[in-house]
Amino acid sequence: MKENRVDIVVYDIIKAVREVMLKHDVTHSEYLAAQAFLATFLSAPAYEIPLALDIFFDATVHDAEMTHRKGSMTNTQGPYFKGDCPTVTTELKVLPEKNGDPLIIEGRVMDVDGRPIPGAELFVWHSDPDGNYSGFCDYMPKNDYYRGRVHIPEDGNFRLLSTVPYAYTIPHNGPTGILLKAMGRHPWRPAHLHFIVNADGFMQHVTQIYFREGEYNDTDCAESVRADLIYDFEFSDGKKVIRKDFYLDRI
Ligand code: MBD
Ligand code: FE
């Protein structure tokens, strides 16, 4: 008989939860409180369920993925990707009045043997200096600032000017934030850059990178930071530079 993956995975989840309930002697009133808590997602904004799952489980999807990939490390996509952002070549649109610290994001898109992948498509997105993403805050209603799509040329190289992103609180007035608070945790994520790379014949590469000594690297509410994803700033003409090379796995 063909194996039923839904049964295999879901039943293991159910058994794991049962073990936790027995281990901690979960009471009937706690069980009812958990039901009532889950029901609060029904009247919350639609992003709350994906947010909660991203915060608690998505990094683990990437940890699992990396047990059989050889290329660079993947990481959580998060809720703020927009595929309809502007195509860019040298810089991302930034808000000058925010006086952001300039940041050059450069690197190369390659296969696992270090050969460039011309024709690849790279998306970059990150927060402004106040930790907000365009398309998700009042003063940047469209998907245009601090985001871009780059067509990777023959040599595989890209170089974009933007500003340094800052640490960010996830929306924390809904069930996800309420749960974090009840657990005694904060809703902060460390400063990070998001990337997606698509190329024919290669597995999609979704990742984030973090900065050395970034605040909240150790207590990220999404527990997504991994040592291989922490990058050091380099400097060029007094500007901060992050060099991010991508090694993509073939399909
Ligand atoms: C983010 O910006 C993010 O990257 C993740 C993973 C979750 C919430 C907000
Ligand atoms: Fe993010």
Side-chain angles (χ1 to χ4, degrees):
M1 207 177 75
K2 195 173 173 295
E3 70 172 29
N4 180 342
R5 186 161 164 85
V6 176
D7 186 50
I8 291 169
V9 175
V10 174
Y11 192 49
D12 267 358
I13 292 172
I14 290 167
K15 284 190 289 187
V17 173
R18 287 175 180 162
E19 273 173 34
V20 171
M21 292 166 74
L22 288 168
K23 178 176 166 193
H24 297 292
D25 198 11
V26 169
T27 65
H28 186 66
S29 66
E30 286 168 339
Y31 169 69
L32 292 178
Q35 283 192 7
F37 170 71
L38 287 175
T40 65
F41 280 94
L42 295 174
S43 49
Y47 60 73
E48 278 287 340
I49 289 177
L51 179 66
L53 293 175
D54 278 0
I55 293 300
F56 296 118
F57 299 111
D58 196 35
T60 306
V61 172
H62 295 276
D63 291 338
E65 193 165 271
M66 291 316 299
T67 63
H68 53 83
R69 284 198 187 208
K70 294 182 184 62
S72 338
M73 187 161 200
T74 61
N75 198 229
T76 312
Q77 175 171 321
Y80 298 139
F81 170 63
K82 291 286 184 182
D84 58 356
C85 61
T87 297
V88 298
T89 51
T90 56
E91 56 188 35
L92 304 189
K93 238 167 119 169
V94 302
L95 291 170
E97 65 271 26
K98 297 264 172 181
N99 289 316
D101 191 7
L103 174 66
I104 294 165
I105 307 164
E106 64 171 28
R108 196 169 200 212
V109 177
M110 294 168 278
D111 63 18
V112 288
D113 300 313
R115 285 181 299 245
I117 309 176
E121 165 192 67
L122 169 76
F123 289 96
V124 186
W125 72 105
H126 64 80
S127 79
D128 78 357
D130 293 320
N132 291 311
Y133 285 82
S134 67
F136 296 90
C137 69
D138 300 342
Y139 59 86
M140 296 187 290
K142 294 203 297 190
N143 306 324
D144 47 0
Y145 288 93
Y146 306 93
R147 299 175 180 278
R149 170 189 184 167
V150 185
H151 297 293
I152 298 297
E154 285 295 306
D155 62 7
N157 292 319
F158 65 92
R159 182 179 164 94
L160 297 166
L161 178 62
S162 189
T163 62
V164 175
Y166 281 84
Y168 160 88
T169 55
I170 63 157
H172 54 284
N173 299 324
T176 312
I178 289 168
L179 181 57
L180 283 170
K181 191 161 187 200
M183 293 164 80
R185 289 163 198 246
H186 65 66
W188 288 87
R189 296 217 63 227
H192 56 275
L193 299 173
H194 290 271
F195 302 96
I196 291 181
V197 194
N198 296 313
D200 286 346
F202 293 84
M203 294 170 87
Q204 187 181 47
H205 189 87
V206 180
T207 200
Q208 294 186 39
I209 64 170
Y210 307 88
F211 307 116
R212 178 88 50 211
E213 286 168 13
E215 201 180 357
Y216 307 112
N217 276 353
D218 297 335
T219 61
D220 176 11
C221 69
E223 294 184 296
S224 286
V225 183
R226 302 289 178 270
D228 284 359
L229 299 174
I230 299 180
Y231 281 67
D232 290 285
F233 289 114
E234 297 167 26
F235 290 88
S236 162
D237 296 332
K239 285 197 185 78
K240 286 184 172 134
V241 178
I242 283 290
R243 182 164 182 92
K244 170 61 185 159
D245 290 326
F246 295 92
Y247 296 93
L248 267 58
D249 289 279
R250 281 183 193 282
I251 288 171

